[in-house]
Amino acid sequence: MSCRIVIYFTFFFCLFFTSVPLVHMYPSYPYSRNYQLDLNFYDRSCPNLHKIVGYGVWLALRNDNRMAASLLRLHFHDCIVNGCDASVLLDDTPYFTGEKNALPNHNSLRGFEVIDDIKEHLERICPSTVSCADILALAAREAIDQIGGPSWPVQLGRRDATTTSKEAAEQQIPSPIEPLENITAKFFSKGLDMKDVVALSGAHTIGFARCFTFKRRLFDFQGSGRPDPVLEFSLLSKLQNMCPNEDASNSNLAPLDATSTMTFDNEYYRNIVYNTGLLESDQALIKDRRTAPTVYYYSNNQFSFYNDFAESMVKLSNVGVLTGTEGQIRYKCGSVNY
């Protein structure tokens, strides 16, 4: 029986009465060489893990249709900074200033409460068992699957970091205004390749960006005092109305994909082809001979984009993981066990 949301009754029936682990429904993908991770890691210690995470994500999406993009971004921002270790979830302490308050994350990352609620539920059902890093990886997959996007298998057995670094986040998270060369270097440093750069950028088919991340394209592109000449005129006009050239508009939101904002599809790549990509880092993909062919290919082939996105998410979710006796299983995702 499928556990995709069709009607509420179907979901609840699957949640409480289906005994087959959801992870077995997914096709195989190439995995990382960290053999301590396992698809079936919690089959005995927490057999209802996938159902609990799926239900928690479903509740979150029911209350906030932006949450799928937020959970995916939260997972990416965790993994790209020193690996998928849930360090992004840690609150500041007298001993460290965490990633939450780094410039790319402050007042921007969302979904912490969703992960906290799922963790609280799991601590009642199978205490001190499931890591926050594994919850985050599963929640990102569930979020995209539940809105109709691609799915991928998630190997489990990650452990949680005991420290975090604001400086590391500011150095390692790609910026939408830095050159593509810098962005690809950050991906490459994590063992990802050029195809992963283009495929994972497709996450911008959903979600929103704050005006300050792209405002210079509208009014003072590269210090020219004029808009980015590449930006399509009708989109430029709309964005200038949404993001007036004043500081008060910096936190206003614009859709990353104005064509199909809430749908996980390949319209993001079509936008880039037609010069309606929102961020400089998005539009740069069509200007580079190494990435442009893949952008054109995905713009005409959603099935291939789905497959490649899923494969890249498998690779991303296995970057720099802690396993075995490394790290810990946090009782609460926002704080280290002492």
Side-chain angles (χ1 to χ4, degrees), residues 139-151:
R141 190 272 308 279
E142 283 296 319
I144 301 307
D145 184 40
Q146 290 187 25
I147 64 169
S151 189

Side-chain angles (χ1 to χ4, degrees), residues 303-322:
F303 180 79
S304 293
F305 162 53
Y306 272 25
N307 281 345
D308 289 352
F309 182 84
E311 288 189 10
S312 293
M313 284 302 301
V314 170
K315 291 174 65 176
L316 174 70
S317 66
N318 290 338
V319 167
V321 297
L322 303 175

Side-chain angles (χ1 to χ4, degrees), residues 114-129:
V114 177
I115 305 302
D116 288 342
D117 288 347
I118 293 171
K119 176 63 172 176
E120 184 178 346
H121 190 173
L122 286 168
E123 284 298 310
R124 292 196 299 267
I125 303 301
C126 35
S128 302
T129 301

